[in-house]
Amino acid sequence: MPYPSKRVWIVGCIALAACVGLAAAGVSYSSRTEFCLSCHEMRVYQDELMLSPHAKDAQGKAIGCSQCHIPSGNLARMLGAKAWMGIKDLWVHNVEGGTDLDRAAMQPIARRFTDDGNCRACHQDLTRNAKADGPISAEGRLAHDNYEGKNGQARSGCVGCHRNLAHLPVFDERIPANQKFAQKIKEIRP
């Protein structure tokens, strides 16, 4: 069997480059907050985020969906997360109608796809509080030491302990640590 000619290799390489370029453009486009908010059922999350402590980053820029929800350190994990969440969200939007989302069932899945690397991109020093203007509590220090493997091994990532920082479902408003956030959100909920 003869080897393919140079022309076949060139055409094949051009086709491969075009496919990779289109895939990269699709990933980039579908990672934009505007894309996420194109489905009406996602707007409640945007409204909650705007009132949360995580509405803006340390530089004062608005935080987008992908900064928290798309794993950034590993290409395979990022593509897997985008595929899983994209298919799930398309199903909810097109088949279930996107109303009456079961947020209690969604929380564990959302937490699984909130990568610690995304949290640590902003929160690098785990000995300082969220505003970086003082130390964390003694309980927080022990938990972070455990997370870093200094006094045992953590069983969960950042969102295992730090819940409801950007979104707050009604059933979690009763938790005392959420009271200030819950009061802000009550002003926007019907």
Side-chain angles (χ1 to χ4, degrees), residues 116 120 123-127 136 140-154 156:
D116 285 359
R120 298 295 304 271
H123 302 282
Q124 296 165 358
D125 185 354
L126 297 182
T127 64
I136 59 173
R141 184 179 47 76
L142 287 172
H144 287 168
D145 284 351
N146 185 265
Y147 170 79
E148 293 179 319
K150 294 177 183 174
N151 65 353
Q153 189 63 35
S156 66

Side-chain angles (χ1 to χ4, degrees), residues 111 114 116 155-163:
R111 287 189 181 119
T114 303
D116 285 359
R155 290 188 220 168
S156 66
C158 300
V159 295
C161 295
H162 299 279
R163 298 172 181 220

